[in-house]
Amino acid sequence: MRVYVPLTLPGLAEAYRTGQLAKGPFLAYAVTPALREWYVSDDIEELEYAALSRATLASLRLLAAEPGAPRRRVVVAVDVPDKAASADPGRGLDPGTLGEVRVDADVALAKAAAVHVDAADAEEDVTAAVEALPAADAGDDDAQFVVDGAEDHELLWYATQEIPNLVDVGAAG
């Protein structure tokens, strides 16, 4: 199963340093039955893009918890055995948890298939989105518009061999 693990650039740097993407159990995003029902598509590429988008929002939330991190969202795509990831069917179509899975196994960074990261030109909008998150969560439509504005920036795709360069960019801030 392909899962999308939300990170920040410092989180990616730590994974690169240790070789460990995440220790189980951890939350990631994938094409779950609830995501399929919500997205109403049979196209696996569209569904995986929806799961990636969910992970991108989770990365935004991680950025809110890391004030010193560069304001660039990071998502690592990795394949894990199907039995290692499970969705909580009790959470149904809760918009906040769509596509969320719990991965019970430790995952090495070497298992990553690709890394998705914002371009530098997204930083201003991502910064504004991070600042607007609390108000958006409280139901402020204007703040939600700002959060949604970060989604106008497509994450760039990087091969895993490019992680050292991404880590250097993150260190440079």
Side-chain angles (χ1 to χ4, degrees):
M1 169 184 284
R2 169 78 38 108
V3 299
Y4 298 91
V5 181
L7 290 176
T8 61
L9 282 171
L12 182 61
E14 179 67 10
Y16 180 69
R17 186 184 68 72
T18 65
Q20 190 77 30
L21 177 60
K23 289 191 167 283
F26 64 92
L27 292 180
Y29 294 82
V31 177
T32 62
L35 185 73
R36 282 181 189 274
E37 185 177 335
W38 171 75
Y39 198 75
V40 192
S41 175
D42 290 329
D43 184 324
I44 192 63
E45 287 183 11
E46 288 181 16
L47 291 165
E48 286 183 348
Y49 183 79
L52 170 66
S53 295
R54 303 299 300 168
T56 301
L57 178 59
S59 176
L60 192 68
R61 293 188 179 286
L62 291 174
L63 287 172
E66 283 187 53
R71 294 327 205 197
R72 294 169 73 179
R73 300 164 298 170
V74 177
V75 176
V76 177
V78 63
D79 294 317
V80 299
D82 287 348
K83 65 182 182 207
S86 60
D88 181 353
R91 294 178 90 164
L93 294 177
D94 176 356
T97 62
L98 278 171
E100 192 177 274
V101 294
R102 188 178 107 165
V103 180
D104 290 321
D106 293 353
V107 176
L109 184 60
K111 298 288 186 182
V115 180
H116 305 270
V117 181
D118 273 314
D121 69 354
E123 287 186 21
E124 184 177 329
D125 288 337
V126 170
T127 299
V130 166
E131 292 170 0
L133 267 174
D137 288 345
D140 183 316
D141 289 339
D142 291 333
Q144 186 62 52
F145 182 78
V146 173
V147 171
D148 293 344
E151 292 179 20
D152 291 342
H153 296 275
E154 295 285 331
L155 272 65
L156 302 176
W157 181 94
Y158 293 92
T160 56
Q161 299 88 327
E162 297 177 274
I163 292 173
N165 296 334
L166 293 170
V167 170
D168 287 343
V169 167

